[in-house]
């Protein structure tokens, strides 16, 4: 009896032992010690900077001296509604929407095959086949498209070999989506965005499709549905949360990108480019800050809607 | 279970899936061809001839080596910081339930959930306000912030699979908290941390958007490439650098895949 109490009662020896006892008895101290470094880092460096940026969006710039006026005002936000700036916002949001729809259409068959038909080694191959492009260098991917869409590049060569130059020219004649060549048109920008963000759509769609029970599809066939009806009424609704989860990435990443439209696209600005231009040479930090609030607000709404539709379960 | 696995996939689906995968991979393969072209003034296809000489020329370029050195340095330091902070955070979140736990997960994910340009401009204006001169350390500050999440994701997944009774058993057998950490927790966690660390390294090594705002005069390898993309001056060297970057990022991804494939997922969601 006495031996037992002695064992339980005895503290551990040494500084390390005593510290370890203190932590064991007071998990709160341990928790605080664990959380303090990451919270300090993220809270001070990251949230602090974000907050500072937000505050600056309520300052304004003096048009004559170019100096920043530190009185809080909504003037900078009104400037966002100037037609030129509103154009930028509409252009970026519509591009993000197009890219999202395009990515969903291209991603679905890949995700469907990987989730329902690929087994064993093929499954691993599909997984790596999606992971490697996802993680390979963003700039290299953009560079590859610069090579493809160059005037003397592989795309025009292929079109020439197939004797389809007339078709490409007719396409480029079209307003808005056309241009002098693909590399300076919205179509080019769209293709590169689609390419770069596609893996972000495939992964969550695949995760959602993996969870569709096979018996459900069998039941649908047993009840006389055609493959098309099964796809429309059974599989697509169940895959929707995955598509929405993927669209969060494609939409958000397109909204904030400023490098792709700068390298492949017309000279008309996207939100990211506007932010970059205003903070850089123009030195108009308040307007740049106000511009960054736009994607944050849009994504806030988007996430809120997505959460209501249950998209986060598919992440 | 999945009865349609026994059936063959419809032809249309096969073609669409194969076309999608080709669309993902052909552009990257193209880089490998261009690295050996003899043409140096344009992006001519098909290449008029093939040569190995650009490999040697790139090898002798001091600016490429300098950028590569800076990128490796930044990625190594950022990864080290991210591994420490991410593990601490993961340990806290997975061992205890406490008020604000969900908020912490959100806070960790936020730097990659928000567009990079926001993180970049926020940090830049903060550095300006605080009068911090741009240096390697300002780049590291940005990179470590968004690298935490990949380590965190991997560590949380592993902590969930490690049962708490192992730790209790170790303490019951007389080990103190530090010994338990050293001999029980760390070996269990090691491969997850290694995988998370490699992904963090790859993420930092490739980052360009935040870096353009936090770098000042220094050029990491992605910044060097961006300058070449905007104003092409030395196409053959850029082609070779692009190929090397693809190879260098593929290796950690493959390694991370093999380290974590039984059970938990690579934190590839939301790069």
């Amino acid at each position: 009896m006495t031996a037992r109490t002695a064992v339980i009662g005895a503290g551990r020896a040494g500084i390390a032992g005593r510290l370890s006892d203190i932590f064991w008895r007071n998990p709160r101290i341990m928790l605080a010690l664990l959380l303090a470094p990451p919270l300090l880092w993220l809270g001070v460096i990251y949230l602090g900077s974000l907050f500072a940026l937000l505050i600056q969006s309520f300052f304004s710039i003096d048009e004559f001296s170019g100096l920043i006026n530190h009185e809080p005002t909504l003037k900078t936000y009104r400037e966002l509604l100037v037609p030129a700036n509103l154009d930028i916002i509409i252009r970026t949001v519509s591009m993000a929407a197009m890219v999202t729809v395009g990515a969903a259409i291209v991603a679905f068959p890949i995700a469907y095959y990987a989730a329902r038909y690929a087994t064993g080694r093929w499954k691993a191959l599909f997984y790596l086949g999606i992971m490697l492009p996802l993680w390979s260098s963003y700039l290299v991917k953009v560079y590859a498209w610069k090579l493809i869409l160059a005037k003397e590049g592989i795309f025009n060569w292929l079109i020439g070999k197939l004797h389809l130059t007339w078709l490409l020219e007719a396409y480029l004649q079209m307003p808005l989506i056309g241009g002098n060549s693909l590399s300076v048109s919205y179509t080019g920008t769209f293709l590169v965005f689609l390419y770069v963000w596609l893996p972000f759509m495939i992964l969550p769609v695949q995760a959602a499709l993996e969870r569709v029970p096979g018996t459900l599809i069998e039941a649908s066939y047993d009840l006389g549905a055609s493959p098309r009806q099964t796809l429309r009424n059974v599989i697509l609704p169940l895959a929707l949360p995955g598509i929405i989860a993927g669209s969060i990435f494609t939409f958000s990443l397109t909204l904030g990108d400023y490098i792709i439209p700068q390298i492949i696209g017309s000279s008309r600005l996207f939100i990211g480019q506007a932010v970059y231009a205003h903070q850089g040479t123009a030195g108009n930090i308040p307007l740049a800050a106000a511009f960054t609030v736009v994607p944050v607000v849009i994504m806030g709404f988007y996430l809120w809607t997505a959460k209501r539709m249950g998209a986060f379960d598919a992440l | 279970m999945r009865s349609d696995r026994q059936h063959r996939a419809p032809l249309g689906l096969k073609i669409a899936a194969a076309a999608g995968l080709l669309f993902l991979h052909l552009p990257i393969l193209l880089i490998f061809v261009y690295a050996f072209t003899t043409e140096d003034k344009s992006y001519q296809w098909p290449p008029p001839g093939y040569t190995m000489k650009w490999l040697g020329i790139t090898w002798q370029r001091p600016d490429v080596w300098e950028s590569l050195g800076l990128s490796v340095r930044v990625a190594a330091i950022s990864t080290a910081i991210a591994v420490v902070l991410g593990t601490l955070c993961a340990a806290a979140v997975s061992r205890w339930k406490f008020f604000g736990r969900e908020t912490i997960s959100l806070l960790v994910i936020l730097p990659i959930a928000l567009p990079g340009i926001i993180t970049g401009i926020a940090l830049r204006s903060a550095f300006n306000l605080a009068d911090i001169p741009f240096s390697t350390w300002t780049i590291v500050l940005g990179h470590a912030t968004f690298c935490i999440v990949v380590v965190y994701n991997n560590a949380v997944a592993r902590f969930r699979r490690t049962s708490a009774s192992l730790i209790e058993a170790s303490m019951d057998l007389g080990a103190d908290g530090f010994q338990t950490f050293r001999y029980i927790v760390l070996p269990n966690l090691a491969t997850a941390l290694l995988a998370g660390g490699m992904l963090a390294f790859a993420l930092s090594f490739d980052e360009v958007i935040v870096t353009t705002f936090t770098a000042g005069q220094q050029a990491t390898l992605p910044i060097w490439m961006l300058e070449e993309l905007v104003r092409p001056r030395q196409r053959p060297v850029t082609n070779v650098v692009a190929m090397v970057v693809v190879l260098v990022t593929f290796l950690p991804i493959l390694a991370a895949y093999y380290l974590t494939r039984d059970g938990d997922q690579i934190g590839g969601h939301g790069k």
Side-chain angles (χ1 to χ4, degrees), chain A residues 85-110:
Chain A
N85 289 338
L86 208 56
D87 260 7
I88 294 175
I89 295 172
I90 293 170
R91 180 177 308 130
T92 312
V93 173
S94 11
M95 178 60 83
M98 296 288 294
V99 170
T100 301
V101 173
I105 293 172
V106 181
F108 193 82
I110 305 177

Side-chain angles (χ1 to χ4, degrees), chain A residues 12 20 24 34 41 46 115-116 127 129 137-139 143 146-147 152 157 195 210 218 249 252 258 272 279 296, chain B residues 2-5 23-25 42-43 45-46 88 113 117-118 124 145 174-175 177 206 212 222 229 239 257 270:
Chain A
R12 289 168 214 268
S20 139
W24 188 254
L34 283 178
W41 184 285
Y46 187 62
R116 306 208 66 84
Y127 183 73
S137 166
Y138 162 85
L139 276 179
Y143 184 62
K146 196 176 164 115
L147 299 175
E152 66 280 11
W157 173 81
Y195 175 74
E210 302 255 9
E218 221 170 82
F249 292 116
S252 158
Y258 75 96
Q279 67 85 33
V296 175
Chain B
R2 284 172 189 160
S3 59
D4 59 350
R5 281 240 167 104
F23 174 66
L24 278 176
H25 287 268
S42 73
Y43 299 123
W45 183 272
L88 288 177
I117 193 165
I118 296 177
R124 189 188 182 96
T145 304
D206 180 40
T212 49
L229 269 170
N239 293 336
Y257 169 71

Side-chain angles (χ1 to χ4, degrees), chain A residues 93-312:
Chain A
V93 173
S94 11
M95 178 60 83
M98 296 288 294
V99 170
T100 301
V101 173
I105 293 172
V106 181
F108 193 82
I110 305 177
Y112 192 72
Y113 193 93
R116 306 208 66 84
Y117 292 103
T119 45
R121 283 175 65 187
W122 279 102
K123 187 119 190 161
L125 208 70
F126 259 91
Y127 183 73
L128 283 178
I130 298 160
M131 271 311 188
L132 288 179
L134 170 73
W135 281 90
S136 56
S137 166
Y138 162 85
L139 276 179
V140 169
K141 286 186 273 191
V142 180
Y143 184 62
W145 279 90
K146 196 176 164 115
L147 299 175
I148 292 171
L149 296 179
K151 210 186 299 149
E152 66 280 11
I154 188 168
F155 186 80
N156 281 340
W157 173 81
L158 200 66
I159 291 283
K161 285 273 171 200
L162 295 171
H163 302 290
L164 289 173
T165 316
W166 57 274
L167 190 69
L168 180 66
E169 264 163 23
Y171 181 83
L172 287 174
Q173 291 293 318
M174 286 201 270
L176 203 63
I177 52 172
N180 277 331
S181 79
L182 268 186
S183 57
V184 293
S185 68
Y186 284 138
T187 312
T189 319
F190 169 81
L191 273 176
V192 183
F193 271 133
L194 176 68
Y195 175 74
V196 173
W197 309 141
L198 184 60
F200 291 94
M201 179 62 94
I202 300 175
L203 286 175
V205 175
Q206 188 186 340
L209 285 172
E210 302 255 9
R211 278 194 291 246
V212 179
T215 45
L216 220 59
I217 293 166
E218 221 170 82
S220 162
Y221 284 129
D222 285 350
L223 292 168
S226 67
R228 192 177 295 265
Q229 283 173 315
T230 309
L231 183 71
R232 225 189 88 77
N233 297 320
V234 179
I235 299 170
L236 270 185
L238 288 170
L240 196 63
I243 296 175
I244 294 173
S247 76
I248 294 170
F249 292 116
T250 54
F251 202 81
S252 158
L253 289 166
T254 314
L255 278 188
D257 196 280
Y258 75 96
I259 287 175
I260 291 172
Q262 179 191 354
I263 289 166
I264 301 204
S266 64
S267 52
R268 279 160 291 195
L269 296 182
F270 281 70
I271 290 181
Q273 290 169 288
V275 171
Y276 192 73
H278 283 302
Q279 67 85 33
T281 43
N284 192 347
I285 294 274
L287 187 56
F291 254 119
T292 60
V293 174
V294 175
V296 175
V297 170
I298 294 174
M299 282 320 292
F301 267 111
Y302 203 95
L303 289 174
W304 181 70
T305 323
K307 191 166 182 178
R308 291 194 48 172
M309 296 182 75
F312 289 110

Side-chain angles (χ1 to χ4, degrees), chain B residues 41 49 129 146 152 159 165 170 189 203 227 241 258 270-271:
Chain B
K41 295 281 184 293
L129 287 178
F146 59 72
Y152 171 84
F159 271 124
S165 50
S170 154
L189 208 56
L203 194 58
E227 276 162 21
V241 170
Y258 283 107
K271 180 178 172 181

